[in-house]
């Protein structure tokens, strides 16, 4: 099944010195809703693919001794709240997540998108909230109640244009930091801020759990192309550095695997426009103009600093063994968050791929 071939893939990437891995067996095992194998020639949205992959892996892990492995690595939860002007919680609903989707349109940075994620919506006028038969003004918001060890952020680079009646790609420039503090987007932090504002104006004291909300960038999945066609490739930070404290980055693009200078992340991943020089036939000389960058980050993988520090203290814990095709126990599945490139049109995955 999919779990077996993913185990084989990461085992090969972890131990082999070959530069890339042929994923045709994995594509053949990955079946869609019509029970047809994955077609590498058809482009698929990587966010949709990841959701499908996690569903299949959860089904496979359900037959192992650690059915909650995915949740322990990537699973968090958000709480949807409705709060009245007096601060009363009129409604709360907790939902699990593997990926947080944030807006990039007209956003200078991922931080702006996260701020909008927890900003909330005012329910007033004809849109007042019905609480026990009484319509009251309230705020509807969503914030994070539990953070995972590995945080996946999906940048919403595609939208449907109702004027043109077609899907469009957003090329907006949107920055993201090498490290990020997720505390301001948690329900614990927001409720503490509201309590302080209700008592007196002043700086917010640090909470002992806020330090456990810091993440470091571990991988970037890039989409290049348009809304109709394109290509995915990855930049991944190598964990097993040759020297302590050194964390070189690698570029994974099908069979190409090469070192990558992390100082170039902005140029290669933030999107926006870039200057180009082209020949002007009217003036008969080269002229400089700007054009949108076809390449921009589509998914970000952040690793919690405390979790990463703990993983470096000793050997990683054993990962459950899944059932093989012949009923025998397989090799442990390597822990990885940004490994295989989920893209139609390619049937190879770069080596190492973030496996620890």
């Amino acid at each position: 099944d999919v779990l077996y071939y993913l185990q084989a893939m990461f085992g090969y990437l972890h131990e082999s010195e070959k530069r890339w891995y042929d994923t045709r067996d994995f594509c053949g095992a990955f079946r869609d809703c019509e029970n047809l194998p994955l077609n590498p020639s058809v482009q698929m949205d990587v966010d949709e693919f990841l959701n499908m992959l996690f569903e299949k892996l959860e089904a496979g892990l359900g037959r192992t001794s650690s059915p909650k492995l995915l949740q322990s690595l990537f699973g968090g939860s958000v709480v949807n709240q409705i709060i009245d002007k007096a601060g009363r919680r009129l409604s709360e609903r907790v939902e699990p997540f593997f990926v947080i989707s944030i807006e990039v349109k007209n956003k200078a940075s991922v931080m702006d998108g996260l701020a909008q994620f927890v900003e909330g919506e005012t329910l007033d006028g004809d849109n007042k909230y019905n609480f026990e038969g009484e319509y009251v003004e309230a705020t509807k918001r969503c914030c994070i109640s539990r953070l995972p060890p590995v945080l996946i952020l999906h940048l919403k680079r595609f939208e449907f244009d109702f004027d043109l009646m077609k899907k469009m790609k957003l090329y907006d420039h949107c920055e993201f930091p090498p490290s990020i503090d997720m505390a301001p987007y948690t329900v614990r932090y927001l409720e503490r801020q509201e309590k302080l504002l209700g008592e007196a104006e002043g700086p917010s004291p640090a909470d002992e759990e806020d330090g456990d909300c810091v993440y470091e960038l571990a991988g970037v999945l890039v989409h290049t192309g348009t809304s109709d066609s394109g290509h995915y490739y990855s930049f991944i930070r190598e964990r097993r550095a040759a020297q302590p404290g050194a964390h070189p980055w690698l570029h994974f693009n099908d069979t190409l695997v090469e070192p990558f200078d992390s100082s170039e992340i902005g140029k290669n991943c933030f999107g926006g426009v870039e200057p180009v020089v082209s020949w002007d036939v009217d003036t008969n000389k080269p002229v400089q103009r700007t054009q949108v960058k076809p390449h921009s980050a589509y998914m970000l993988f952040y690793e919690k600093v405390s979790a990463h520090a703990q993983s470096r203290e000793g050997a990683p814990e054993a990962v459950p063994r899944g059932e093989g095709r012949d009923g025998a126990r397989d090799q442990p599945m390597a822990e990885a968050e940004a490994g295989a490139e989920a893209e139609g049109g390619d049937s190879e995955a770069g080596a190492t791929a973030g496996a620890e």
Side-chain angles (χ1 to χ4, degrees):
D1 59 11
V2 172
L3 178 59
Y4 171 85
Y5 285 106
L6 191 66
Q7 287 177 310
M9 181 192 302
F10 281 121
Y12 189 100
L13 295 176
H14 195 273
E15 299 298 331
S16 173
E17 295 184 1
K18 193 173 180 180
R19 189 175 290 254
W20 53 271
Y21 176 80
D22 191 331
T23 61
R24 279 179 288 189
D25 288 341
F26 175 83
C27 293
F30 193 100
R31 301 279 170 158
D32 60 18
C33 58
E34 298 178 355
N35 201 33
L36 297 175
L38 185 67
N39 186 354
S41 64
V42 177
Q43 178 174 254
M44 177 182 291
D45 186 286
V46 72
D47 181 49
E48 297 176 5
F49 176 85
L50 184 64
N51 289 330
M52 292 174 58
L53 176 62
F54 276 9
E55 287 180 6
K56 294 180 183 296
L57 292 180
E58 283 194 298
L61 288 167
R63 302 190 297 270
T64 71
S65 59
S66 296
K68 302 296 183 181
L69 176 61
L70 280 182
Q71 288 90 333
S72 68
L73 290 173
F74 309 104
S77 59
V78 295
V79 55
N80 296 281
Q81 297 179 320
I82 296 181
I83 308 168
D84 67 6
K85 286 187 172 182
R88 291 184 304 164
R89 271 56 179 170
L90 307 182
S91 173
E92 284 193 338
R93 186 180 74 257
V94 177
E95 295 180 357
F97 73 83
F98 284 123
V99 179
I100 294 179
S101 296
I102 58 177
E103 300 285 346
V104 298
K105 188 174 184 178
N106 300 323
K107 300 292 183 292
S109 71
V110 165
M111 316 305 292
D112 293 338
L114 285 169
Q116 183 187 27
F117 180 77
V118 301
E119 182 179 2
E121 170 191 1
T122 300
L123 305 178
D124 56 7
D126 295 335
N127 198 30
K128 288 183 179 180
Y129 181 69
N130 186 347
F131 178 66
E132 297 181 351
E134 179 184 359
Y135 288 91
V136 297
E137 293 186 4
T139 298
K140 178 182 179 182
R141 74 180 182 191
C142 178
C143 44
I144 300 170
S145 59
R146 182 171 60 87
L147 285 163
V150 179
L151 178 68
I152 306 176
L153 299 180
H154 164 228
L155 309 187
K156 298 168 72 172
R157 286 279 177 188
F158 298 100
E159 68 174 10
F160 190 82
D161 189 317
F162 287 94
D163 294 328
L164 300 175
M165 295 304 293
K166 62 182 297 187
K167 188 178 181 181
M168 304 291 290
K169 181 177 179 180
L170 301 175
Y171 298 97
D172 299 44
H173 179 91
C174 185
E175 301 180 4
F176 51 87
S179 63
I180 184 171
D181 183 3
M182 293 296 294
Y185 316 107
T186 62
V187 62
R188 182 185 181 90
Y189 180 93
L190 293 173
E191 290 180 348
R192 190 171 73 247
Q193 291 295 104
E194 291 165 357
K195 183 178 179 181
L196 288 170
L197 288 174
E199 295 175 351
E201 294 291 337
S204 171
D207 188 280
E208 60 181 7
E209 293 189 10
D210 288 351
D212 198 38
C213 299
V214 178
Y215 287 78
E216 288 182 349
L217 186 65
V220 182
L221 182 69
V222 176
H223 177 270
T224 182
T226 67
S227 59
D228 299 319
S229 62
H231 178 68
Y232 291 109
Y233 54 91
S234 303
F235 299 111
I236 302 174
R237 179 165 53 85
E238 173 60 74
R239 313 307 197 280
R240 301 173 297 172
Q243 299 178 355
H247 298 289
W249 283 70
L250 296 172
H251 172 208
F252 295 85
N253 193 342
D254 293 341
T255 59
L256 171 66
V257 180
E258 61 183 1
F260 175 70
D261 184 355
S262 60
S263 65
E264 296 291 310
I265 285 181
K267 177 182 177 181
N268 288 273
C269 304
F270 288 172
V273 298
E274 60 185 349
V276 295
V277 176
S278 61
W279 187 263
D280 190 312
V281 294
D282 295 329
T283 60
N284 199 30
K285 64 179 182 180
V287 295
Q288 182 171 302
R289 59 186 178 85
T290 59
Q291 68 177 20
V292 296
K293 294 181 180 180
H295 49 272
S296 53
Y298 190 56
M299 272 191 162
L300 306 176
F301 295 80
Y302 281 92
E303 189 175 48
K304 187 177 286 188
V305 173
S306 60
H308 190 200
Q310 292 172 6
S311 69
R312 291 197 301 262
E313 292 177 358
E317 297 181 0
V319 183
R321 299 172 182 268
E323 293 294 337
R325 289 170 293 179
D326 56 358
R329 307 298 275 180
D330 301 329
Q331 296 181 4
M333 182 176 72
E335 293 182 11
E337 74 281 350
E341 296 177 19
E343 188 217 350
D346 298 312
S347 59
E348 295 88 16
T352 309
E356 294 189 288

